[in-house]
Amino acid sequence: MKALMISNDRQLHAEIGAQGSARMPPVLLAATRAGLRDAVERIMSDAPELVIFDASEVEPGEADMVERLARLYPQARFILLAREPQQDLLIRAMRAGMREVLQLPLVHRAFHEAIDRIEVETGITRMRDGKALAFISCKGGSGATFLSTNFGYALAALADKKVLLIDLHGQFGDATLYVSDQKPCMTLSDICAQIGRMDGAFLESSLVHVSPGFGVLAAADDPGQTVAMKPEHMDTILRVARQHYDYIVLDVGRQIDALSLRALDCADAIYPVLQLALPDIRDGRRLLDIFRSLGYPTERTRLIVNRYEKGGKLRLADLEQALGADVLHTIPNDYLCATDSVNQGVPVLQLSRSSPVARSLAELVALVTERRVLENKGLFNRLFGRSEAEQ
């Protein structure tokens, strides 16, 4: 969003510029003016989409220029900044259609919330009502992190959704390594330590951006920092995330603590991941017993069987009967492809689009989003890289 900044306060210019450039998409200060009269007399040839107006030093006789400024840029949205209430000026601003008024010194959270509202009004972004999907291992090594990270990428790539993955592993979380070689600039514990700053822009700026529609919030890199992470922090993070993302994928890990339990409480669906083996079934039974004791509805918990091979002695029907839960989906055993993906830190859809695992992930996206992905030519082509002429 292109903005005009009206103020003779250089420090405020720098502050607004830094906050605006940190957003996704950024708010760019295309031009600056020293004051209201300067802004009215020097009109921008390329009209701004946003005008940020510091009214702190407006002279009493200049109040009528506020309406003139609004007429100069009729398509722009305005944010008025003021240190002291100026009744006449505020009335004129409201008559001119200015709705956002912020107090100085600038509160960053209030500034970003105002920008959020403007972006929604102008159609740059939209407020979402995201769903939270939790992946949890029934047994160590079941592949829940591989599936959650690659599913998040597939959800963004194939269903054109905006997706956030939160790594909730209390110790040694490494979800980012499965899909990226970037080093996280912020982690979940850093977010919790600054929870008062939480808004859409702060959350977005804290992620490892794997693709334009898919970002990962890394787990705490120091196990000692997890002490300061509280369940109420997860409430705040998920509340903001639901407003800005279509799907929030939670990589819960295996250990259930206060933070991950709150995340599970808030999840719209829980996907226990296991393999078709007796140790997994035994641990899966224990996990589902915990969920039942917590009062989670049975229909909210759907099993995913990883590294599945047909023809084994254990059948899916045996698993469902033993656990008293339905199998939502099976992921085929494609060890070499999955290992290459993990070792390179590249999503399997990007590395090997025609592999059995890639096809299975596409089917899982279709199940979760209730879209028939493989019957949609555009999505099919995106997955398997085929042009219309080749079909």
Side-chain angles (χ1 to χ4, degrees):
M1 185 186 297
K2 184 174 57 178
L4 166 64
M5 178 75 187
I6 303 173
S7 176
N8 63 0
D9 186 338
R10 292 183 178 274
Q11 186 174 349
L12 184 60
H13 276 272
E15 188 177 11
I16 294 288
Q19 293 299 313
S21 61
R23 293 183 60 86
M24 296 280 289
V27 175
L28 301 175
L29 296 184
T32 60
R33 299 291 185 264
L36 184 56
R37 186 175 298 279
D38 185 27
V40 171
E41 293 177 352
R42 287 200 297 148
I43 304 171
M44 289 180 64
S45 56
D46 190 6
E49 300 163 279
L50 173 66
V51 177
I52 303 172
F53 167 40
D54 177 8
S56 302
E57 299 182 8
V58 173
E59 300 294 333
E62 294 181 338
D64 62 317
M65 292 188 185
V66 172
E67 296 176 51
R68 289 176 57 189
L69 180 67
R71 289 195 296 270
L72 287 175
Y73 305 116
Q75 303 302 318
R77 296 295 193 276
F78 286 78
I79 295 179
L80 189 146
L81 309 176
R83 294 187 185 276
E84 300 291 338
Q86 303 179 50
Q87 187 173 0
D88 181 49
L89 181 66
L90 291 176
I91 290 173
R92 287 179 179 272
M94 291 176 64
R95 285 175 178 168
M98 302 181 188
R99 296 291 179 261
E100 298 291 347
V101 180
L102 302 180
Q103 184 103 19
L104 291 175
L106 187 67
V107 177
H108 295 170
R109 181 172 181 177
F111 173 75
H112 288 293
E113 288 175 348
I115 298 293
D116 286 343
R117 288 190 292 270
I118 289 171
E119 289 182 344
V120 170
E121 290 171 4
T122 56
I124 294 174
T125 62
R126 61 183 177 86
M127 295 301 282
R128 294 168 165 84
D129 184 18
K131 292 184 178 179
L133 312 176
F135 286 71
I136 183 168
S137 296
C138 291
K139 186 179 182 301
S142 62
T145 297
F146 172 81
L147 289 182
S148 63
T149 51
N150 279 275
F151 171 73
Y153 179 86
L155 197 54
L158 300 181
D160 196 24
K161 300 296 184 181
K162 190 174 183 184
V163 182
L164 164 67
L165 184 138
I166 303 177
D167 187 349
L168 287 168
H169 286 252
Q171 295 182 349
F172 313 115
D174 57 0
T176 55
L177 298 179
Y178 282 70
V179 287
S180 174
D181 60 358
Q182 302 175 50
K183 182 177 176 58
C185 62
M186 295 277 282
T187 67
L188 179 58
S189 59
D190 296 326
I191 290 278
C192 290
Q194 305 175 63
I195 200 67
R197 295 181 57 193
M198 176 54 59
D199 57 26
F202 179 57
L203 180 58
E204 182 79 6
S205 67
S206 304
L207 307 181
V208 170
H209 294 281
V210 180
S211 69
F214 179 46
V216 178
L217 177 57
D221 52 7
D222 181 358
Q225 296 176 342
T226 60
V227 177
M229 296 160 56
K230 300 177 181 178
E232 52 266 31
H233 294 160
M234 183 53 58
D235 292 335
T236 302
I237 293 169
L238 288 178
R239 175 181 55 79
V240 173
R242 287 183 188 275
Q243 295 174 349
H244 295 275
Y245 298 87
D246 297 305
Y247 287 92
I248 302 98
V249 179
L250 306 168
D251 181 18
V252 178
R254 188 165 182 244
Q255 185 175 351
I256 297 179
D257 54 22
L259 196 72
S260 61
L261 184 58
R262 183 62 63 88
L264 290 168
D265 289 343
C266 298
D268 296 284
I270 302 173
Y271 302 122
V273 178
L274 72 167
Q275 297 180 29
L276 202 53
L278 285 176
D280 290 68
I281 295 173
R282 181 196 61 192
D283 287 2
R285 180 65 178 268
R286 292 174 178 173
L287 182 63
L288 293 183
D289 285 344
I290 292 173
F291 290 166
R292 292 178 185 119
S293 70
L294 293 170
Y296 294 170
T298 303
E299 60 273 13
R300 190 150 64 102
T301 304
R302 307 291 297 279
L303 304 175
I304 295 179
V305 178
N306 192 25
R307 299 189 66 183
Y308 174 66
E309 293 181 331
K310 294 181 179 179
K313 291 185 178 180
L314 289 174
R315 301 173 302 166
L316 293 178
D318 299 326
L319 172 65
E320 292 179 330
Q321 184 176 4
L323 300 186
D326 295 332
V327 173
L328 172 71
H329 192 57
T330 61
I331 306 293
N333 186 13
D334 192 357
Y335 179 78
L336 290 178
C337 179
T339 302
D340 285 346
S341 171
V342 173
N343 287 340
Q344 296 182 47
V346 177
V348 69
L349 276 173
Q350 187 177 331
L351 186 68
S352 182
R353 292 180 291 181
S354 60
S355 67
V357 173
R359 291 176 179 270
S360 186
L361 285 168
E363 292 167 0
L364 183 57
V365 169
L367 286 169
V368 171
T369 61
E370 299 181 349
R371 296 178 63 182
R372 304 182 71 179
V373 173
L374 293 183
E375 292 187 12
N376 182 306
K377 283 189 176 182
L379 292 175
F380 188 89
N381 294 339
R382 241 182 290 173
L383 174 57
F384 299 111
R386 297 168 61 186
S387 66
E388 294 289 342
E390 292 174 320
Q391 294 187 41

